[in-house]
Amino acid sequence: MSEPAITPALVAAHGLKPDEYDRLLGIIGRVPTFTELGIFSAMWNEHCSYKSSKKWLRTLPTTGPQVICGPGENAGVVDIGDGQAVIFKMESHNHPSYIEPYQGAATGVGGILRDVFTMGARPIAAMNSLSFGLPAHPKTSHLVKGVVEGVGGYGNAFGVPTVGGEVRFHRSYNGNCLVNAFAAGLADADKIFYSVASGVGMPVVYLGAKTGRDGVGGATMASAEFDASIEEKRPTVQVGDPFTEKRLLEACLELMASGAVISIQDMGAAGLTCSAVEMGDKGGLGIKLQLDAVPQRETHMTAYEMMLSESQERMLMVLKPELEDVARAIFVKWDLDFAIVGQTIAEDRFLILHGDQIKADLPLSKLSSSAPEYDRPWVETPPAAPLPAFPAIGALDALRALIGAPSYAHKAWVYEQYDSQVLADTIRRPGMGAGVVRVHGTKKALAFTSDVTPRYVKANPEQGGMQAVAEAYRNLCAVGALPLATTDNLNFGNPEKPEIMGQLVGALKGIGAACIALDMPIVSGNVSLYNETDGAGILPTPTIGAVGILADAADLIGGLPQAGDVAVLIGTTLGHLGQSALLAEAFGIEAGDAPPVDLASEKAHGTFIRAHGKAFHACSDLSDGGLALAAFEMAEGAGLGVSLTAADTATLYGEDQARYLVALPQPQAKDLLAQAAAQGIPAAIVGQFGGDLVTFGDESAPIAALSALYRSAFAKAVA
């Protein structure tokens, strides 16, 4: 089959700008083959090279005494004591999920699970952060159903508990939903596997499922905006098989235990190309591949298709040659493909053979570490205008506006489709803050959360980025966990627009400052740019995934309020309503500044909560919806009423930061207030749990009626 001629139109279709193509020509000194053009396109696109964000990602704090491995590997590795490590990462599968919601979301889950077990960890928990357009938009219901089914279908069949996440709706996601998937696993700290190839003449081995044509060009598609041609992109979406992935997990862990593995890398974005280049580049080696040896499930596949296919459930490994038979036997036992497809070479070459033809012969190091890197122009987001006047609203009508909105309604419709109990170690399920999983065979537990408030980030990127980390910190503290580290998933629009690049820069400044102040270094992450449709970008959405540890699972703050408990508010309430959930949902007003974040107060208040958690029946951090929504959610979860003394909108629904609401008996509450006063921590009794009414000031309504609204609104919105 003859290859197409390399034309400016073909170069542009591969996402390479004219100056980038000139750079390519300068590196190889000739016109590339079609396969070589595809390889450069895959390695130099935004999704794989981080060319617009690399400069700013380097400013993030990535080290600490708890960090074993920071960014740059398949996932981050953090020490949890006793010779154990938690390995975790978050990644996006946004564009594929909009085009083909079920498979896009399912393969997003599959890809993040592979990132974790590639490093030698057995996955123990998953989360997801989902952003959709307005419920009334014609595509939203289809997307929500498909994505949730895809997440559940893959995770449930693979056998990993989904323990947390978030779902939001906003018109900015009408043409570009976000699907961010998180996974965490456990490994022995001295048995971590990395992707650095070593040794010359070592066999390069293909493991797992066969290669097909699904996902060809997926990474390039993920680095472009959407337009009217979106439906034509359906073939670039991968197809997943969780049962094959489960076998691949078991085979890989058995293979790692055999001592045969020198290095291993999963085939994710850009498939065979990216995995081979990254392994060679990190080890300072070249790679020679013979594509005739690649297991294929379709006939007459070209070199271009094999190199760029993103077929799922595949790995690439550099193997100790003397253990080839041992390794092969393991994969045969698990009914998976095992094929030697190449070898490491001393020269700096990426040599691709198909039949007796050389399809690509490139300097390997130039594909990865020499990818373009841009210092894109950016402008600061202008200060937010003052909050305009808004109509008066009754305290309980305000609550109804929030709990009847799908972004804040009860999410059981979503998480009941996920298995949160598989593996039998989940001790706090989705639905009330951070998820918690027991570290099997020990007293320890790990807590997981995912947070961001995109409205804040748009209004004030630096404070919004800071707040995302601070809220993740609070969610972990609220279950009694010591925050350990974070992963980020930076979802933004087109970085070639200075105002969008300014959002990214500002958010990273805020994220970095908060991670330093709260001792939560970033150990892994993902950047997803060009989330735009017809030139309109999404709300900036830098999702923060965070992990914390309970030295003893018995210290979990995981209960519910009890009748007669007093409600104590920790933190200072000034009544900040700018960019608040109430104004957005009740009046459609998204105005004013984001709430300011005081990192010293965040740390002090979180430390106080963890120190006194044994006294609490329940604890929740205050975020969207402020005091009123937190109190209602705690009460509703326990089937109780709640009475708050406050009656004014700002006190009830303001979104001041560094705040927690705790429920505890009256005698312990007096002691808590005394301890808080002694330590300079703001604390006050703001109400009481019990009865069957929700009372704010002098307004009351039956908890049963409010609960019915809260538990039905989500399904009604997406039905």
Short mmCIF file of all heavy atoms in Angstrom, two decimals, residues 4-42:
data_model
loop_
_atom_site.label_atom_id
_atom_site.label_comp_id
_atom_site.label_asym_id
_atom_site.label_seq_id
_atom_site.Cartn_x
_atom_site.Cartn_y
_atom_site.Cartn_z
N PRO A 4 0.49 8.15 1.64
CA PRO A 4 0.10 9.45 1.08
C PRO A 4 1.28 10.41 1.05
O PRO A 4 2.20 10.33 1.86
CB PRO A 4 -0.98 9.95 2.05
CG PRO A 4 -0.81 9.14 3.29
CD PRO A 4 -0.21 7.84 2.89
N ALA A 5 1.24 11.33 0.09
CA ALA A 5 2.28 12.35 -0.01
C ALA A 5 2.16 13.32 1.17
O ALA A 5 1.05 13.61 1.64
CB ALA A 5 2.13 13.10 -1.33
N ILE A 6 3.30 13.79 1.64
CA ILE A 6 3.30 14.74 2.76
C ILE A 6 3.03 16.14 2.22
O ILE A 6 3.87 16.72 1.52
CB ILE A 6 4.64 14.69 3.52
CG1 ILE A 6 4.99 13.25 3.93
CG2 ILE A 6 4.59 15.61 4.74
CD1 ILE A 6 3.98 12.57 4.83
N THR A 7 1.87 16.67 2.51
CA THR A 7 1.46 18.00 2.04
C THR A 7 1.20 18.90 3.25
O THR A 7 1.01 18.41 4.37
CB THR A 7 0.15 17.91 1.23
OG1 THR A 7 -0.89 17.43 2.12
CG2 THR A 7 0.30 16.94 0.06
N PRO A 8 1.17 20.21 3.05
CA PRO A 8 0.84 21.11 4.17
C PRO A 8 -0.50 20.76 4.82
O PRO A 8 -0.65 20.85 6.04
CB PRO A 8 0.80 22.50 3.52
CG PRO A 8 1.75 22.38 2.36
CD PRO A 8 1.59 20.98 1.84
N ALA A 9 -1.48 20.34 3.99
CA ALA A 9 -2.79 19.97 4.55
C ALA A 9 -2.67 18.74 5.44
O ALA A 9 -3.29 18.67 6.51
CB ALA A 9 -3.78 19.72 3.42
N LEU A 10 -1.86 17.76 5.03
CA LEU A 10 -1.69 16.55 5.83
C LEU A 10 -0.97 16.86 7.14
O LEU A 10 -1.31 16.34 8.20
CB LEU A 10 -0.92 15.50 5.03
CG LEU A 10 -0.84 14.10 5.66
CD1 LEU A 10 -2.23 13.47 5.74
CD2 LEU A 10 0.10 13.20 4.87
N VAL A 11 0.04 17.75 7.03
CA VAL A 11 0.76 18.17 8.24
C VAL A 11 -0.20 18.85 9.22
O VAL A 11 -0.21 18.55 10.42
CB VAL A 11 1.93 19.11 7.87
CG1 VAL A 11 2.54 19.74 9.12
CG2 VAL A 11 3.00 18.35 7.08
N ALA A 12 -1.03 19.74 8.70
CA ALA A 12 -1.99 20.45 9.56
C ALA A 12 -3.00 19.49 10.17
O ALA A 12 -3.39 19.64 11.34
CB ALA A 12 -2.71 21.53 8.75
N ALA A 13 -3.42 18.48 9.39
CA ALA A 13 -4.37 17.49 9.91
C ALA A 13 -3.77 16.69 11.06
O ALA A 13 -4.50 16.12 11.87
CB ALA A 13 -4.80 16.55 8.79
N HIS A 14 -2.44 16.65 11.14
CA HIS A 14 -1.76 15.96 12.23
C HIS A 14 -1.46 16.89 13.41
O HIS A 14 -0.73 16.51 14.33
CB HIS A 14 -0.46 15.31 11.73
CG HIS A 14 -0.68 14.02 11.02
ND1 HIS A 14 -1.22 13.95 9.75
CD2 HIS A 14 -0.47 12.72 11.41
CE1 HIS A 14 -1.31 12.68 9.39
NE2 HIS A 14 -0.88 11.91 10.37
N GLY A 15 -2.02 18.08 13.38
CA GLY A 15 -1.90 18.99 14.52
C GLY A 15 -0.57 19.69 14.62
O GLY A 15 -0.28 20.31 15.66
N LEU A 16 0.27 19.64 13.59
CA LEU A 16 1.57 20.31 13.63
C LEU A 16 1.47 21.67 12.94
O LEU A 16 0.99 21.78 11.80
CB LEU A 16 2.64 19.46 12.94
CG LEU A 16 3.02 18.15 13.64
CD1 LEU A 16 3.90 17.30 12.73
CD2 LEU A 16 3.75 18.43 14.95
N LYS A 17 1.91 22.71 13.63
CA LYS A 17 1.95 24.05 13.05
C LYS A 17 3.12 24.12 12.05
O LYS A 17 4.08 23.35 12.15
CB LYS A 17 2.13 25.08 14.16
CG LYS A 17 1.04 25.04 15.22
CD LYS A 17 -0.16 25.86 14.79
CE LYS A 17 -1.38 25.64 15.68
NZ LYS A 17 -1.21 26.00 17.05
N PRO A 18 3.07 25.08 11.11
CA PRO A 18 4.16 25.18 10.12
C PRO A 18 5.55 25.29 10.75
O PRO A 18 6.51 24.66 10.28
CB PRO A 18 3.80 26.45 9.33
CG PRO A 18 2.30 26.52 9.42
CD PRO A 18 1.96 26.00 10.78
N ASP A 19 5.69 26.07 11.84
CA ASP A 19 7.01 26.20 12.46
C ASP A 19 7.43 24.90 13.15
O ASP A 19 8.63 24.58 13.20
CB ASP A 19 7.04 27.37 13.45
CG ASP A 19 6.03 27.21 14.56
OD1 ASP A 19 4.91 26.71 14.30
OD2 ASP A 19 6.33 27.58 15.71
N GLU A 20 6.47 24.13 13.64
CA GLU A 20 6.80 22.84 14.25
C GLU A 20 7.25 21.85 13.17
O GLU A 20 8.19 21.06 13.38
CB GLU A 20 5.59 22.29 15.01
CG GLU A 20 5.27 23.11 16.25
CD GLU A 20 4.01 22.65 16.97
OE1 GLU A 20 3.13 22.03 16.31
OE2 GLU A 20 3.88 22.90 18.18
N TYR A 21 6.59 21.92 12.00
CA TYR A 21 7.01 21.05 10.90
C TYR A 21 8.42 21.42 10.43
O TYR A 21 9.24 20.55 10.14
CB TYR A 21 6.01 21.12 9.75
CG TYR A 21 6.35 20.18 8.61
CD1 TYR A 21 6.35 18.80 8.80
CD2 TYR A 21 6.69 20.68 7.35
CE1 TYR A 21 6.68 17.93 7.76
CE2 TYR A 21 7.01 19.82 6.31
CZ TYR A 21 7.01 18.45 6.52
OH TYR A 21 7.34 17.59 5.50
N ASP A 22 8.70 22.73 10.39
CA ASP A 22 10.06 23.17 10.03
C ASP A 22 11.08 22.63 11.04
O ASP A 22 12.19 22.23 10.67
CB ASP A 22 10.14 24.70 9.99
CG ASP A 22 9.39 25.29 8.80
OD1 ASP A 22 9.11 24.53 7.84
OD2 ASP A 22 9.06 26.49 8.83
N ARG A 23 10.70 22.63 12.29
CA ARG A 23 11.59 22.09 13.33
C ARG A 23 11.84 20.60 13.09
O ARG A 23 12.96 20.11 13.22
CB ARG A 23 10.93 22.31 14.71
CG ARG A 23 11.73 21.85 15.92
CD ARG A 23 10.84 21.99 17.16
NE ARG A 23 11.55 21.62 18.38
CZ ARG A 23 11.87 22.49 19.34
NH1 ARG A 23 11.58 23.77 19.20
NH2 ARG A 23 12.50 22.08 20.43
N LEU A 24 10.77 19.88 12.74
CA LEU A 24 10.89 18.45 12.42
C LEU A 24 11.88 18.25 11.27
O LEU A 24 12.78 17.38 11.33
CB LEU A 24 9.50 17.92 12.06
CG LEU A 24 9.26 16.45 11.70
CD1 LEU A 24 7.76 16.15 11.76
CD2 LEU A 24 9.77 16.06 10.33
N LEU A 25 11.71 19.06 10.19
CA LEU A 25 12.60 18.93 9.04
C LEU A 25 14.05 19.20 9.43
O LEU A 25 14.98 18.52 8.96
CB LEU A 25 12.17 19.89 7.93
CG LEU A 25 10.80 19.63 7.28
CD1 LEU A 25 10.47 20.70 6.26
CD2 LEU A 25 10.76 18.25 6.63
N GLY A 26 14.24 20.17 10.33
CA GLY A 26 15.60 20.48 10.78
C GLY A 26 16.23 19.34 11.55
O GLY A 26 17.45 19.12 11.49
N ILE A 27 15.40 18.58 12.28
CA ILE A 27 15.92 17.46 13.09
C ILE A 27 16.32 16.28 12.21
O ILE A 27 17.37 15.68 12.40
CB ILE A 27 14.86 17.04 14.13
CG1 ILE A 27 14.77 18.09 15.25
CG2 ILE A 27 15.19 15.67 14.73
CD1 ILE A 27 13.61 17.89 16.20
N ILE A 28 15.45 15.93 11.21
CA ILE A 28 15.76 14.71 10.44
C ILE A 28 16.40 15.01 9.09
O ILE A 28 16.91 14.09 8.43
CB ILE A 28 14.51 13.81 10.27
CG1 ILE A 28 13.42 14.48 9.43
CG2 ILE A 28 13.95 13.42 11.63
CD1 ILE A 28 12.24 13.54 9.12
N GLY A 29 16.39 16.29 8.66
CA GLY A 29 17.11 16.67 7.44
C GLY A 29 16.48 16.18 6.16
O GLY A 29 17.15 16.12 5.12
N ARG A 30 15.18 15.81 6.21
CA ARG A 30 14.50 15.32 5.01
C ARG A 30 13.00 15.35 5.27
O ARG A 30 12.55 15.59 6.40
CB ARG A 30 14.95 13.89 4.68
CG ARG A 30 14.72 12.91 5.82
CD ARG A 30 15.08 11.48 5.48
NE ARG A 30 15.09 10.64 6.68
CZ ARG A 30 14.00 10.16 7.28
NH1 ARG A 30 12.80 10.44 6.80
NH2 ARG A 30 14.10 9.41 8.37
N VAL A 31 12.23 15.07 4.22
CA VAL A 31 10.77 14.96 4.38
C VAL A 31 10.47 13.65 5.12
O VAL A 31 11.03 12.60 4.78
CB VAL A 31 10.08 14.97 3.00
CG1 VAL A 31 8.58 14.69 3.15
CG2 VAL A 31 10.29 16.32 2.31
N PRO A 32 9.62 13.69 6.14
CA PRO A 32 9.33 12.45 6.88
C PRO A 32 8.47 11.50 6.06
O PRO A 32 7.74 11.91 5.15
CB PRO A 32 8.56 12.95 8.10
CG PRO A 32 7.88 14.20 7.62
CD PRO A 32 8.85 14.84 6.65
N THR A 33 8.55 10.22 6.39
CA THR A 33 7.57 9.27 5.86
C THR A 33 6.23 9.53 6.56
O THR A 33 6.16 10.24 7.58
CB THR A 33 7.99 7.82 6.14
OG1 THR A 33 7.95 7.59 7.56
CG2 THR A 33 9.39 7.53 5.61
N PHE A 34 5.17 8.93 6.03
CA PHE A 34 3.85 9.08 6.63
C PHE A 34 3.85 8.57 8.07
O PHE A 34 3.30 9.20 8.99
CB PHE A 34 2.82 8.32 5.79
CG PHE A 34 1.41 8.44 6.28
CD1 PHE A 34 0.83 9.68 6.53
CD2 PHE A 34 0.63 7.30 6.48
CE1 PHE A 34 -0.49 9.79 6.97
CE2 PHE A 34 -0.68 7.39 6.91
CZ PHE A 34 -1.24 8.64 7.15
N THR A 35 4.51 7.44 8.30
CA THR A 35 4.59 6.89 9.66
C THR A 35 5.37 7.83 10.57
O THR A 35 4.98 8.06 11.73
CB THR A 35 5.24 5.49 9.63
OG1 THR A 35 4.45 4.64 8.78
CG2 THR A 35 5.31 4.88 11.02
N GLU A 36 6.46 8.39 10.06
CA GLU A 36 7.25 9.32 10.88
C GLU A 36 6.46 10.58 11.22
O GLU A 36 6.54 11.09 12.34
CB GLU A 36 8.54 9.69 10.13
CG GLU A 36 9.54 8.55 10.07
CD GLU A 36 10.74 8.85 9.20
OE1 GLU A 36 10.62 9.70 8.28
OE2 GLU A 36 11.80 8.24 9.42
N LEU A 37 5.67 11.07 10.27
CA LEU A 37 4.82 12.24 10.54
C LEU A 37 3.84 11.91 11.67
O LEU A 37 3.64 12.71 12.60
CB LEU A 37 4.06 12.64 9.28
CG LEU A 37 3.10 13.83 9.44
CD1 LEU A 37 3.87 15.11 9.74
CD2 LEU A 37 2.24 14.00 8.19
N GLY A 38 3.26 10.70 11.60
CA GLY A 38 2.33 10.28 12.65
C GLY A 38 3.01 10.20 14.00
O GLY A 38 2.44 10.59 15.03
N ILE A 39 4.25 9.69 14.02
CA ILE A 39 4.99 9.56 15.28
C ILE A 39 5.29 10.93 15.87
O ILE A 39 5.08 11.17 17.07
CB ILE A 39 6.27 8.75 15.05
CG1 ILE A 39 5.93 7.27 14.81
CG2 ILE A 39 7.24 8.89 16.22
CD1 ILE A 39 7.08 6.42 14.32
N PHE A 40 5.77 11.85 15.05
CA PHE A 40 6.03 13.21 15.55
C PHE A 40 4.74 13.87 16.02
O PHE A 40 4.71 14.54 17.06
CB PHE A 40 6.69 14.08 14.46
CG PHE A 40 8.18 14.03 14.46
CD1 PHE A 40 8.88 13.28 13.54
CD2 PHE A 40 8.91 14.75 15.41
CE1 PHE A 40 10.27 13.23 13.54
CE2 PHE A 40 10.30 14.72 15.42
CZ PHE A 40 10.99 13.96 14.48
N SER A 41 3.67 13.69 15.27
CA SER A 41 2.38 14.27 15.65
C SER A 41 1.96 13.78 17.03
O SER A 41 1.49 14.56 17.88
CB SER A 41 1.33 13.89 14.61
OG SER A 41 0.03 14.06 15.12
N ALA A 42 2.13 12.47 17.26
CA ALA A 42 1.72 11.89 18.54
C ALA A 42 2.59 12.40 19.69
O ALA A 42 2.09 12.75 20.76
CB ALA A 42 1.79 10.37 18.46
#
